[in-house]
Amino acid sequence: MNIFKNVTLGGGAAISWYAVSAAWMPEQSGTIVPAIGGIAIAALLPTYLGARRARYVNDRQSLALGQRIDVLNDHAIVNVVDRDTKLVEVNDRFVEATGFSREELIGTSMHDLYRDDEGTLAEEIHANLKSGKGWNGETPIRRKDGSAIYTHTTVRPIYDLDGTWIGSISARTDVTETHELLASRDIAQVMDEMKDDVWIVDCDLMAATYMNKVALGRLGIRRATGEVVPLGNLRSVAGVGSIITTCRDMRATGADNAQFETEFCGKPFHISVTRLKVGTLKGRFMVLMSDMSKRVAEEQRKSDFISTVSHELRSPLTSIKGAMGLLLSRAAGQLPDKAVSMLEIAHRNADRLVLIINDILDLEKIAAGRMEFDRRDVNLTDLVEETKNANTTMHHQFSVRVENTSGTDPVWINTDPNRIIQVLNNFLSNACKFSRPGSTVRILLEDHGDSVRVAVKDQGEGIPIKDQHKIFERFADMQNSNRSVKGGTGLGLSICKAIVEGLGGTIGFETTEGMGTTFYFVLPKRETWRESLVADNIVKMRNAS
């Protein structure tokens, strides 16, 4: 129809031109020029009008297409890649969503941005595009900060004028928030079914924004969905004060985890507080509370049994050991050499058994909180020298030298001298056992003003990395311990830890495999530590890494 209109207009214009020009032209050219002009108009005018209409239509289509592209850019995350999956164009939404700059993105393989450890997703998309098919689905994309965004994605292949596949274009919608909401719902359902009490505490509100069914039931609270529970309303409940203090301390110090044991709602509970790092909120913590009533009762029964057995064994063992000692001292006359040798073996093993029983009784006292300390002002320099001299036999047995590099200046401290000697004896005994023959064990006492540090350094094999976390555990079985040859019960260091901490100090070690180990403890000179200790809030924190 448009062509017919153009031809009609062109014909009419040509006839009009011929009539007007023929009337005005001289006689000799009156028919030639009008005829040529008419033919030209008839031929060119339809073409001109067609081109003009085409431009008009094209401009309208381009405007509509441009408006659609603007809407797509505003709504979707768009990228174009070549056939090698390298990004050649990204829109502003893509840059904003990933956190990378446009310069960092262009030339990067889109496959490198997928959070797809097995690579199956990238392979599936690429295979579809190569075969001329599009792809729809969900793609997790790695952001610059290492986090992930989840996008619902439509990918379509791009072809050149010859029909050759040259790449693809992708339009993505961010569905990360939906993912997080679904994950939160699933987590809440799981936590609601847990047997332990679970709280989510917001330090800004100082309220529990979530409590699972068990926690609400224990506190007798009915909570509507979305309603928070102000912790101030729960201060009368034993243990809540410790939870509030711990959350505030963790917020102030940046610690990630804290654990302590306290009485909660009339029962012994183990409480673990963990910082929640989701989003930008810095003061949200998950509090997990485990009822220890059954465990405490079971441990008490076990402790009572061990204590009873240990006490019952000590009396007859003391008599047996005494009788063997009399025989070895020839109180009953001379004995054959073979009998003496066998008695010596039995006597040494009786000594070892006595040590084990004493250690078990010490552990029982520690577990029951009945370990008592006889504090007095003592010169720690003298205690160190006394311990060194008392272990002379041990030095000779393992062919090592022991040097006291502490000096002779007195260092006065208020502590239990017998317990300090017990700790030093254990340090020296282990150092001698695990040092190489002919090496030197050194004792160093350092005065730090308000505190003192005592260290025993050996030149042994060091502690393997895989065993280091077990050092202060009961009956710890180390790779190089070999108790049958070197002796020991595996309880000494756990008892040392309890003694040092009971005296208000800290204990630790430094080791390098192949070069040796240093065990040390640090004690305050005065018993000032008790003043700042909250009875139901003994919290051990691990700083954020």
Side-chain angles (χ1 to χ4, degrees), residues 412-428:
W412 292 93
I413 181 173
N414 183 263
T415 191
D416 185 331
N418 293 321
R419 292 298 187 181
I420 292 299
I421 289 175
Q422 183 178 349
V423 173
L424 283 173
N425 276 333
N426 189 278
F427 281 7
L428 274 176

Side-chain angles (χ1 to χ4, degrees), residues 240-284:
V240 172
S242 298
I243 294 172
I244 294 173
T245 301
T246 302
C247 290
R248 283 175 172 166
D249 288 347
M250 289 175 64
R251 182 183 176 95
T253 62
D256 283 343
N257 294 288
Q259 297 183 34
F260 59 96
E261 295 177 1
T262 187
E263 182 179 315
F264 177 69
C265 293
K267 295 181 179 180
F269 268 76
H270 178 273
I271 297 182
S272 173
V273 184
T274 303
R275 176 187 297 276
L276 296 177
K277 296 184 178 181
V278 177
T280 59
L281 299 175
K282 303 297 183 184
R284 295 177 68 243

Side-chain angles (χ1 to χ4, degrees), residues 398-420:
F398 292 99
S399 303
V400 296
R401 279 177 48 225
V402 176
E403 290 183 359
N404 181 6
T405 60
S406 305
T408 57
D409 293 339
V411 177
W412 292 93
I413 181 173
N414 183 263
T415 191
D416 185 331
N418 293 321
R419 292 298 187 181
I420 292 299

Side-chain angles (χ1 to χ4, degrees), residues 89-336:
E89 185 55 61
V90 294
N91 70 343
D92 292 341
R93 287 290 306 275
F94 195 101
V95 173
E96 178 186 345
T98 62
F100 292 98
S101 67
R102 185 171 268 99
E103 291 73 21
E104 291 173 317
L105 290 167
I106 301 303
T108 301
S109 172
M110 188 62 213
H111 291 184
D112 293 340
L113 295 181
Y114 286 148
R115 287 284 290 269
D116 179 27
D117 295 335
E118 297 178 0
T120 54
L121 175 63
E123 290 176 3
E124 178 187 343
I125 296 173
H126 198 63
N128 272 34
L129 296 171
K130 285 181 69 174
S131 63
K133 300 176 184 177
W135 186 89
N136 291 284
E138 194 170 278
T139 54
I141 297 176
R142 177 176 57 85
R143 302 186 76 251
K144 187 173 182 178
D145 62 7
S147 62
I149 59 169
Y150 292 87
T151 63
H152 185 77
T153 305
T154 298
V155 189
R156 292 292 180 266
I158 300 174
Y159 301 94
D160 62 14
L161 295 176
D162 296 327
T164 304
W165 173 57
I166 59 173
S168 65
I169 183 169
S170 303
R172 308 170 191 272
T173 303
D174 190 345
V175 294
T176 306
E177 186 174 348
T178 304
H179 255 264
E180 290 177 351
L181 288 173
L182 290 173
S184 298
R185 184 198 64 185
D186 293 343
I187 291 170
Q189 288 177 345
V190 171
M191 290 195 297
D192 263 346
E193 300 304 320
M194 289 179 65
K195 294 181 180 179
D196 292 333
D197 298 39
V198 181
W199 298 7
I200 303 296
V201 173
D202 187 322
C203 264
D204 292 331
L205 301 175
M206 198 42 63
T209 56
Y210 170 82
M211 287 184 175
N212 68 346
K213 292 178 182 177
V214 174
L216 292 171
R218 193 182 306 280
L219 294 169
I221 295 175
R222 288 187 177 181
R223 171 181 172 269
T225 302
E227 182 184 353
V228 301
V229 179
L231 297 187
N233 297 349
L234 304 175
R235 279 190 176 275
S236 60
V237 179
V240 172
S242 298
I243 294 172
I244 294 173
T245 301
T246 302
C247 290
R248 283 175 172 166
D249 288 347
M250 289 175 64
R251 182 183 176 95
T253 62
D256 283 343
N257 294 288
Q259 297 183 34
F260 59 96
E261 295 177 1
T262 187
E263 182 179 315
F264 177 69
C265 293
K267 295 181 179 180
F269 268 76
H270 178 273
I271 297 182
S272 173
V273 184
T274 303
R275 176 187 297 276
L276 296 177
K277 296 184 178 181
V278 177
T280 59
L281 299 175
K282 303 297 183 184
R284 295 177 68 243
F285 301 92
M286 182 175 74
V287 182
L288 181 65
M289 296 181 276
S290 303
D291 187 345
M292 300 194 306
S293 301
K294 292 183 180 178
R295 194 182 88 188
V296 168
E298 184 179 342
E299 288 181 353
Q300 186 59 50
R301 288 194 297 270
K302 194 183 299 181
S303 177
D304 291 343
F305 172 76
I306 292 173
S307 178
T308 300
V309 171
S310 299
H311 280 292
E312 291 298 324
L313 285 174
R314 179 181 269 179
S315 296
L317 185 58
T318 301
S319 299
I320 293 168
K321 184 183 171 187
M324 287 189 293
L326 289 172
L327 288 173
L328 287 171
S329 65
R330 307 299 190 270
Q334 291 295 324
L335 295 173

